[in-house]
Amino acid sequence: MVFKKKDTDNKEFYIVDKRILPKSIQNVIKVNDLILKTKISKYSAIKKVGISRSTYYKYKDFIKPFYEGGEDRIYSLHLSLKDRVGILSDVLDVIAKEKISILTVVQNMAVDGVAKSTILIKLSESMQKKVDKIISKIGKVEGITDIRITGSN
Protein backbone atom coordinates (compact mmCIF):
# COMPACT_ATOMS: atom_id res chain seq x y z
CA MET A 1 0.00 0.00 0.00
CA VAL A 2 1.37 3.44 -0.93
CA PHE A 3 0.32 6.66 0.73
CA LYS A 4 0.83 9.93 -1.08
CA LYS A 5 1.47 12.95 1.08
CA LYS A 6 -0.93 15.75 0.33
CA ASP A 7 1.03 18.66 -1.10
CA THR A 8 0.62 21.32 1.58
CA ASP A 9 4.20 22.60 1.51
CA ASN A 10 3.78 24.64 -1.67
CA LYS A 11 2.35 27.65 0.10
CA GLU A 12 2.91 31.14 -1.25
CA PHE A 13 2.37 34.25 0.82
CA TYR A 14 1.70 37.79 -0.30
CA ILE A 15 1.20 41.08 1.47
CA VAL A 16 -1.98 42.52 0.02
CA ASP A 17 -3.90 45.65 0.92
CA LYS A 18 -7.12 44.46 2.55
CA ARG A 19 -9.17 46.90 0.50
CA ILE A 20 -8.65 44.88 -2.69
CA LEU A 21 -9.78 41.59 -1.18
CA PRO A 22 -13.23 40.22 -2.00
CA LYS A 23 -15.95 41.21 0.47
CA SER A 24 -16.26 37.61 1.71
CA ILE A 25 -12.59 37.56 2.76
CA GLN A 26 -12.91 40.98 4.41
CA ASN A 27 -15.90 39.67 6.36
CA VAL A 28 -13.92 36.64 7.56
CA ILE A 29 -11.26 39.07 8.81
CA LYS A 30 -13.98 41.04 10.63
CA VAL A 31 -15.25 37.84 12.28
CA ASN A 32 -11.72 36.90 13.42
CA ASP A 33 -11.18 40.41 14.81
CA LEU A 34 -14.48 40.30 16.71
CA ILE A 35 -13.63 36.92 18.22
CA LEU A 36 -10.18 38.12 19.25
CA LYS A 37 -11.13 41.56 20.57
CA THR A 38 -14.54 40.97 22.15
CA LYS A 39 -14.21 37.31 23.11
CA ILE A 40 -17.64 36.47 21.65
CA SER A 41 -18.32 33.06 20.17
CA LYS A 42 -17.63 32.26 16.52
CA TYR A 43 -21.33 31.78 15.94
CA SER A 44 -22.19 35.20 17.40
CA ALA A 45 -19.43 36.93 15.43
CA ILE A 46 -20.50 35.26 12.17
CA LYS A 47 -24.08 36.31 12.80
CA LYS A 48 -23.09 39.87 13.71
CA VAL A 49 -20.97 40.31 10.55
CA GLY A 50 -23.67 38.73 8.42
CA ILE A 51 -21.83 36.02 6.51
CA SER A 52 -22.64 32.36 6.13
CA ARG A 53 -20.94 29.81 8.35
CA SER A 54 -19.74 27.93 5.27
CA THR A 55 -17.95 31.06 3.98
CA TYR A 56 -16.28 31.58 7.34
CA TYR A 57 -15.12 27.97 7.71
CA LYS A 58 -13.97 27.82 4.09
CA TYR A 59 -11.45 30.67 4.55
CA LYS A 60 -10.75 31.05 8.28
CA ASP A 61 -7.62 28.88 8.37
CA PHE A 62 -6.03 30.73 5.46
CA ILE A 63 -6.24 34.23 6.91
CA LYS A 64 -3.68 35.40 9.43
CA PRO A 65 -2.98 39.00 10.44
CA PHE A 66 0.26 40.67 9.46
CA TYR A 67 1.57 42.94 12.18
CA GLU A 68 3.67 45.85 11.06
CA GLY A 69 6.24 47.27 13.39
CA GLY A 70 4.00 49.33 15.59
CA GLU A 71 3.98 49.97 19.27
CA ASP A 72 5.25 46.56 20.41
CA ARG A 73 8.81 45.40 19.74
CA ILE A 74 10.39 41.98 19.89
CA TYR A 75 13.73 41.63 21.66
CA SER A 76 16.08 38.66 22.01
CA LEU A 77 17.83 38.22 25.32
CA HIS A 78 21.00 36.15 24.95
CA LEU A 79 22.13 34.83 28.30
CA SER A 80 25.06 32.83 29.61
CA LEU A 81 24.00 31.04 32.76
CA LYS A 82 26.02 29.10 35.30
CA ASP A 83 24.85 25.52 35.58
CA ARG A 84 22.66 25.94 38.67
CA VAL A 85 19.32 24.37 39.44
CA GLY A 86 16.54 26.96 39.04
CA ILE A 87 18.58 29.71 37.40
CA LEU A 88 16.36 29.91 34.31
CA SER A 89 13.31 29.94 36.56
CA ASP A 90 14.81 32.88 38.47
CA VAL A 91 15.32 34.80 35.21
CA LEU A 92 11.77 34.06 34.08
CA ASP A 93 10.46 35.24 37.46
CA VAL A 94 12.16 38.62 36.96
CA ILE A 95 10.60 38.92 33.50
CA ALA A 96 7.16 37.91 34.82
CA LYS A 97 7.31 40.43 37.67
CA GLU A 98 7.93 43.15 35.09
CA LYS A 99 4.75 42.01 33.25
CA ILE A 100 6.72 41.25 30.08
CA SER A 101 5.33 38.85 27.51
CA ILE A 102 7.64 35.90 26.78
CA LEU A 103 7.35 34.54 23.25
CA THR A 104 9.94 31.73 23.28
CA VAL A 105 12.59 30.25 25.54
CA VAL A 106 15.48 28.12 24.33
CA GLN A 107 18.10 26.75 26.67
CA ASN A 108 21.03 24.65 25.55
CA MET A 109 22.82 22.05 27.59
CA ALA A 110 25.59 23.37 29.83
CA VAL A 111 29.15 23.04 28.54
CA ASP A 112 31.97 23.63 31.01
CA GLY A 113 29.40 24.72 33.59
CA VAL A 114 27.77 27.40 31.44
CA ALA A 115 24.48 27.14 29.52
CA LYS A 116 23.40 29.46 26.75
CA SER A 117 19.80 30.59 26.72
CA THR A 118 17.81 32.81 24.36
CA ILE A 119 14.52 34.38 25.44
CA LEU A 120 12.32 36.29 23.00
CA ILE A 121 10.23 38.95 24.70
CA LYS A 122 7.66 41.44 23.48
CA LEU A 123 7.77 44.91 24.97
CA SER A 124 5.09 47.55 24.71
CA GLU A 125 6.11 51.09 23.78
CA SER A 126 6.04 52.16 27.43
CA MET A 127 8.19 49.19 28.50
CA GLN A 128 10.80 49.92 25.81
CA LYS A 129 11.87 52.97 27.80
CA LYS A 130 12.72 50.65 30.71
CA VAL A 131 14.91 48.18 28.78
CA ASP A 132 18.09 49.14 30.66
CA LYS A 133 16.34 48.74 34.02
CA ILE A 134 14.95 45.31 33.02
CA ILE A 135 18.35 44.12 31.77
CA SER A 136 19.93 45.32 35.00
CA LYS A 137 17.42 43.35 37.08
CA ILE A 138 17.99 40.20 35.05
CA GLY A 139 21.75 40.71 35.33
CA LYS A 140 21.48 40.66 39.13
CA VAL A 141 20.20 37.07 39.11
CA GLU A 142 22.83 34.89 40.75
CA GLY A 143 24.73 32.93 38.12
CA ILE A 144 24.24 35.18 35.08
CA THR A 145 27.69 35.50 33.49
CA ASP A 146 26.69 37.45 30.37
CA ILE A 147 23.57 39.13 29.04
CA ARG A 148 23.06 40.72 25.64
CA ILE A 149 19.99 42.09 23.97
CA THR A 150 19.16 42.50 20.31
CA GLY A 151 16.05 44.17 18.98
CA SER A 152 13.90 43.51 15.97
CA ASN A 153 10.95 45.02 14.08
Side-chain angles (χ1 to χ4, degrees):
M1 194 185 276
V2 177
F3 293 98
K4 186 174 179 183
K5 183 181 172 199
K6 189 175 178 183
D7 188 16
T8 57
D9 296 332
N10 289 333
K11 297 178 182 179
E12 291 187 48
F13 299 95
Y14 299 89
I15 298 174
V16 178
D17 189 319
K18 184 170 84 171
R19 295 173 295 180
I20 69 164
L21 295 173
K23 200 70 167 164
S24 58
I25 301 295
Q26 290 184 32
N27 285 335
V28 172
I29 293 168
K30 286 179 187 176
V31 170
N32 287 342
D33 286 346
L34 274 173
I35 293 167
L36 186 67
K37 292 175 183 169
T38 63
K39 305 292 186 212
I40 63 174
S41 70
K42 285 180 186 175
Y43 176 77
S44 297
I46 290 167
K47 194 172 177 180
K48 187 171 186 170
V49 171
I51 63 171
S52 69
R53 287 180 37 196
S54 62
T55 298
Y56 176 74
Y57 285 103
K58 181 177 181 180
Y59 297 115
K60 75 173 183 69
D61 293 328
F62 297 99
I63 300 172
K64 305 285 184 241
F66 175 80
Y67 297 101
E68 293 179 327
E71 297 174 9
D72 293 345
R73 297 271 186 220
I74 309 296
Y75 292 91
S76 297
L77 301 176
H78 305 278
L79 307 168
S80 296
L81 315 166
K82 287 186 180 175
D83 190 10
R84 172 178 69 77
V85 173
I87 190 167
L88 182 58
S89 177
D90 292 346
V91 170
L92 297 177
D93 283 345
V94 170
I95 295 170
K97 285 177 184 168
E98 292 296 323
K99 307 267 191 266
I100 296 171
S101 179
I102 297 172
L103 302 176
T104 63
V105 177
V106 176
Q107 181 168 0
N108 297 318
M109 187 169 46
V111 175
D112 296 329
V114 177
K116 301 290 184 180
S117 183
T118 302
I119 303 170
L120 256 61
I121 58 173
K122 182 167 66 170
L123 296 178
S124 65
E125 193 171 8
S126 63
M127 289 299 287
Q128 291 171 41
K129 297 170 186 160
K130 301 176 185 177
V131 168
D132 291 336
K133 179 182 165 191
I134 294 163
I135 297 304
S136 175
K137 284 184 178 184
I138 293 170
K140 290 178 183 173
V141 171
E142 182 185 339
I144 301 286
T145 59
D146 187 37
I147 183 168
R148 296 166 193 230
I149 186 167
T150 56
S152 67
N153 282 35

